[in-house]
Amino acid sequence: MKKVFMPIIAIFMLFVLAACGGADKTKEDSGEQKEELTIGVIPAQTEGEMQGAMEKLESLLEEKMDREVKIDTYPDYNGVVEAMNFDKIDMAFFGPLTYVIAHEKSGAEAIITQLVDGEPFYHSYIITHKDNAFDSLEDFLKESKKYDFAFGDPNSTSGSLIPSIELGDRGVFTDENEHEFNTVRYTGSHDATALAVQNKQVDAGAIDSAIYDQLIESGKIDESQLKVIWKSDKLFQYPWAVNKEMDDETVKQLQDIFVNIDDKEILDAFGASGFTKASNEDYESIRQAAIKQGVIKE
């Protein structure tokens, strides 16, 4: 009996395994199983302020795409670039500068950007405390050696790249070690810069105009304590970019979802009034600025 029973069991098990394998293949072929979509986000504000909004966005994308979605907020801008570069994420929310770096390094492609008051543009501001006597950048720079200046993250477009070009053109800034200020520091985020200026820890600082307005609206900073002394030309807004391997169908699905987002908590996390489609060509001026500063080599 033993010699007969074992072959029957073996045949039965082979049949079950084959059937399961066929079922799995059919399920995979039918597109029912989808890999987790991974998204990296730069710290537009401090991580704690972003968390609730990112959880909402994660749930929204999972519902609309019928797949698991994981969103991670990175502690610094460069971390998101490297994550895209090493294929650790499928999509990322970049600053314009970090986007052009990621595009250069890994072929990341912009597909969405945010709107502020219906426009896909923002500015770099230099702000100071209202108690300071100077009301313009020109007046501020007359005695720059007396003053402490703050940038945001070194890889921020509005918090570092664009104001550093402006200050460089005016002959007062080359880098953190070579400048005509009393001190220069990098705060790491826009809200940290705003608070440093408001609390008189620095005399002036560079910040994203949209985030500045959102911080005022939310009550995190007091507009009556601050004033803007310089405003850059228009900058194209922060992009959401995808890995170069992402298929066109998923790109279109993401674009359709984002342009219809109206959740205030999600929008406020990015200082946005909405989202719209974007492309790599929209960031050519930022690429040229990055080349001018030696961030990207031609």
Side-chain angles (χ1 to χ4, degrees):
M1 290 295 294
K2 186 174 181 181
K3 291 180 180 178
V4 175
F5 180 71
M6 290 303 293
I8 292 173
I9 291 295
I11 292 168
F12 176 74
M13 291 302 294
L14 285 171
F15 175 77
V16 170
L17 289 170
C20 289
D24 286 346
K25 188 174 189 305
T26 301
K27 189 174 183 180
E28 184 176 329
D29 290 345
S30 68
E32 292 178 21
Q33 287 184 327
K34 297 178 181 178
E35 291 183 4
E36 181 180 68
L37 182 73
T38 54
I39 302 175
V41 175
I42 61 165
Q45 299 182 53
T46 55
E47 189 171 354
E49 300 292 344
M50 297 283 289
Q51 189 59 38
M54 294 309 94
E55 288 173 359
K56 270 193 167 184
L57 179 58
E58 194 173 80
S59 296
L60 175 66
L61 291 171
E62 285 185 338
E63 178 187 348
K64 298 291 186 182
M65 302 184 77
D66 190 26
R67 67 191 292 183
E68 290 187 9
V69 176
K70 180 176 174 54
I71 301 177
D72 286 319
T73 303
Y74 283 68
D76 58 58
Y77 285 49
N78 190 57
V80 187
V81 175
E82 292 305 307
M84 181 68 80
N85 192 34
F86 288 100
D87 293 325
K88 292 182 179 178
I89 53 177
D90 303 305
M91 183 178 186
F93 174 65
F94 289 117
L97 174 58
T98 43
Y99 166 66
V100 298
I101 293 171
H103 177 77
E104 194 78 11
K105 285 187 172 183
S106 63
E109 283 290 328
I111 63 166
I112 288 289
T113 193
Q114 59 202 61
L115 297 169
V116 176
D117 296 329
E119 295 288 338
F121 304 107
Y122 74 118
H123 303 271
S124 172
Y125 281 170
I126 292 178
I127 60 173
T128 189
H129 197 277
K130 72 170 183 64
D131 290 345
N132 289 324
F134 46 84
D135 294 312
S136 67
L137 185 58
E138 289 76 15
D139 289 341
F140 171 62
L141 295 181
K142 285 176 183 177
E143 298 184 282
S144 63
K145 290 184 178 180
K146 291 171 48 179
Y147 301 128
D148 301 312
F149 191 86
F151 294 102
D153 187 287
N155 291 309
S156 168
T157 308
S158 56
S160 181
L161 176 66
I162 299 303
S164 70
I165 289 175
E166 181 68 22
L167 295 174
D169 289 346
R170 291 173 183 253
V172 296
F173 180 81
T174 301
D175 56 36
E176 190 174 6
N177 300 311
E178 188 178 343
H179 55 77
E180 295 296 318
F181 295 102
N182 181 45
T183 64
V184 167
R185 73 173 72 172
Y186 288 86
T187 67
S189 68
H190 296 290
D191 52 341
T193 298
L195 288 170
V197 174
Q198 180 171 294
N199 296 331
K200 299 185 178 181
Q201 295 168 335
V202 295
D203 298 291
I207 190 171
D208 174 317
S209 64
I211 293 177
Y212 177 74
D213 291 341
Q214 193 272 329
L215 290 170
I216 290 169
E217 183 181 345
S218 65
K220 292 169 187 171
I221 59 173
D222 182 355
E223 184 177 18
S224 69
Q225 298 299 304
L226 300 165
K227 55 186 175 182
V228 177
I229 60 171
W230 177 78
K231 174 181 175 180
S232 73
D233 292 336
K234 285 183 178 179
L235 307 171
F236 210 80
Q237 272 287 358
Y238 292 42
W240 293 81
V242 296
N243 188 297
K244 64 181 179 181
E245 303 298 333
M246 185 172 285
D247 62 277
D248 292 343
E249 183 180 348
T250 304
V251 168
K252 185 179 185 307
Q253 187 179 23
L254 285 164
Q255 288 175 323
D256 290 344
I257 293 168
F258 269 85
V259 297
N260 287 295
I261 290 175
D262 58 6
D263 184 281
K264 191 174 188 304
E265 185 176 358
I266 295 173
L267 295 173
D268 281 353
F270 304 102
S273 59
F275 295 102
T276 190
K277 293 180 182 180
S279 68
N280 183 58
E281 288 71 27
D282 295 323
Y283 297 92
E284 181 58 27
S285 65
I286 303 299
R287 180 176 179 274
Q288 293 303 320
I291 291 170
K292 179 175 180 177
Q293 289 300 90
V295 179
I296 292 177
K297 307 296 183 186
E298 282 191 290

